[in-house]
Amino acid sequence: MQNTISLGPLNLPALPVLLIISVVAGHLLLRLIYRKRSEDYSRGSDLFFSGLLLFLGGWKLSLLLTNWQTVLKAPLALVYLTGGIINFIAGFLAACAGIALLVRSGKFRLPDIKTVLLICALSAVVLFPLVLLMPSSFTDSPSETGTVTLSTLEGRPETLELTGASVTIVNFWATWCPPCRAEIPELIEFYKEYKERGVRLIGVNMTTTESSVRGVSTFIDDQNINFPVYLDSWGEASTRFEINSIPVTMVFDKDGNLIRQKTGAVDSAWLKSSVRNFTD
């Protein structure tokens, strides 16, 4: 499934947008079903959104435990990182516990939980076709990228190599981009663990959008970036890979086939799942 939806120059993450659409549609369908039971509909809807807020709180706050080093270095990571299955489980448990307490307090009743489950079911009925209709963000065929010439911080030309390593990850970023800054600690920690396991990680700075190369160099030093960073000084890479918004992370196998891609901040959970089948 394509992971972004373009609205003119604005790129929005696809899954949250589809979830919002499906929840709205689920509520409209519930309204039709409960058209003669408006009070039951209102209570059930209120309990659903209370649970949703608890899920979001538990999901995001759990990043303080699983990604605490990143959050300390880049607090915006709480906004941009999604985490892994553990974080979603934490959100789910927070929602279940909160709903149980709300029912126990007498503010809501047990039948309201059935209404919440009905909303979830109706939303899922709408969501699944939407996900299936979303186009894939890439094909499984070998990438026809040809040779892309970048440059080092010292100004030497450098060819972007996509073959040879068991897996190559290319991350497109810029210093002024908040989600790019938020994901840097995750990339550093991931590369520290996986660089000896056949993983090549390359940062490609969108230099045509930067104010100066010196600023990029200073940022790299300040962040102690441990993977090679090359400059897209002429916009060749961004044009060839059709980079319209950043950050973008692309994962290639040893033959240069594009196997996974994400627009938006990545975290260690996403990176590790991307290389799991290609490392020892």
Side-chain angles (χ1 to χ4, degrees):
M1 185 186 77
Q2 183 174 308
N3 55 37
T4 60
I5 295 174
S6 296
L7 297 175
L10 182 63
N11 286 278
L12 302 175
L15 187 56
V17 172
L18 295 183
L19 284 172
I20 291 171
I21 293 173
S22 63
V23 167
V24 171
H27 272 73
L28 291 175
L29 291 172
L30 183 72
R31 187 70 174 178
L32 290 175
I33 296 172
Y34 280 21
R35 57 185 178 275
K36 294 182 179 180
R37 299 160 56 189
S38 58
E39 184 178 347
D40 292 342
Y41 168 82
S42 297
R43 280 201 316 272
S45 180
D46 289 345
L47 184 58
F48 173 84
F49 282 111
S50 296
L52 181 60
L53 289 175
L54 289 165
F55 169 81
L56 292 174
W59 166 37
K60 285 297 183 178
L61 290 177
S62 67
L63 291 170
L64 292 172
L65 298 176
T66 60
N67 302 69
W68 64 270
Q69 291 180 317
T70 296
V71 174
L72 284 178
K73 295 176 182 177
L76 280 175
L78 280 176
V79 177
Y80 294 110
L81 297 189
T82 58
I85 186 65
I86 293 177
N87 304 98
F88 286 100
I89 290 175
F92 176 76
L93 292 177
C96 290
I99 287 176
L101 289 174
L102 288 171
V103 172
R104 186 178 178 84
S105 70
K107 185 175 181 180
F108 296 97
R109 303 179 304 184
L110 282 175
D112 297 328
I113 296 180
K114 295 181 181 179
T115 303
V116 169
L117 295 176
L118 182 56
I119 294 173
C120 292
L122 293 171
S123 300
V125 168
V126 176
L127 177 63
F128 288 143
L130 292 177
V131 171
L132 293 175
L133 289 172
M134 285 293 293
S136 173
S137 58
F138 61 91
T139 65
D140 293 327
S141 60
S143 55
E144 301 292 340
T145 58
T147 300
V148 176
T149 303
L150 305 170
S151 66
T152 65
L153 289 168
E154 295 75 27
R156 297 190 305 273
E158 186 72 36
T159 300
L160 180 60
E161 294 287 348
L162 300 179
T163 60
S166 60
V167 60
T168 298
I169 301 174
V170 183
N171 177 261
F172 298 86
W173 66 282
T175 61
W176 50 264
C177 163
C180 300
R181 299 170 75 98
E183 71 179 356
I184 289 294
E186 294 286 296
L187 292 166
I188 291 172
E189 290 302 313
F190 168 79
Y191 190 59
K192 188 184 298 182
E193 181 179 350
Y194 279 82
K195 65 180 178 181
E196 302 299 333
R197 299 170 66 175
V199 174
R200 178 196 290 147
L201 173 59
I202 300 170
V204 177
N205 176 261
M206 302 286 93
T207 316
T208 55
T209 69
E210 300 280 7
S211 58
S212 70
V213 173
R214 177 175 294 182
V216 177
S217 180
T218 300
F219 179 84
I220 291 172
D221 291 339
D222 290 344
Q223 296 293 319
N224 295 315
I225 292 178
N226 58 351
F227 51 88
V229 175
Y230 301 130
L231 308 178
D232 188 21
S233 301
W234 306 281
E236 183 178 341
S238 59
T239 299
R240 190 69 61 85
F241 289 97
E242 299 180 354
I243 305 300
N244 299 313
S245 63
I246 51 176
V248 171
T249 303
M250 295 181 172
V251 183
F252 300 87
D253 66 13
K254 61 183 178 63
D255 298 316
N257 297 321
L258 180 61
I259 55 176
R260 203 172 186 192
Q261 177 176 330
K262 182 177 180 179
T263 300
V266 295
D267 52 32
S268 57
W270 188 90
L271 293 165
K272 290 177 181 180
S273 69
S274 298
V275 304
R276 186 171 295 127
N277 296 328
F278 302 92
T279 56
D280 299 331

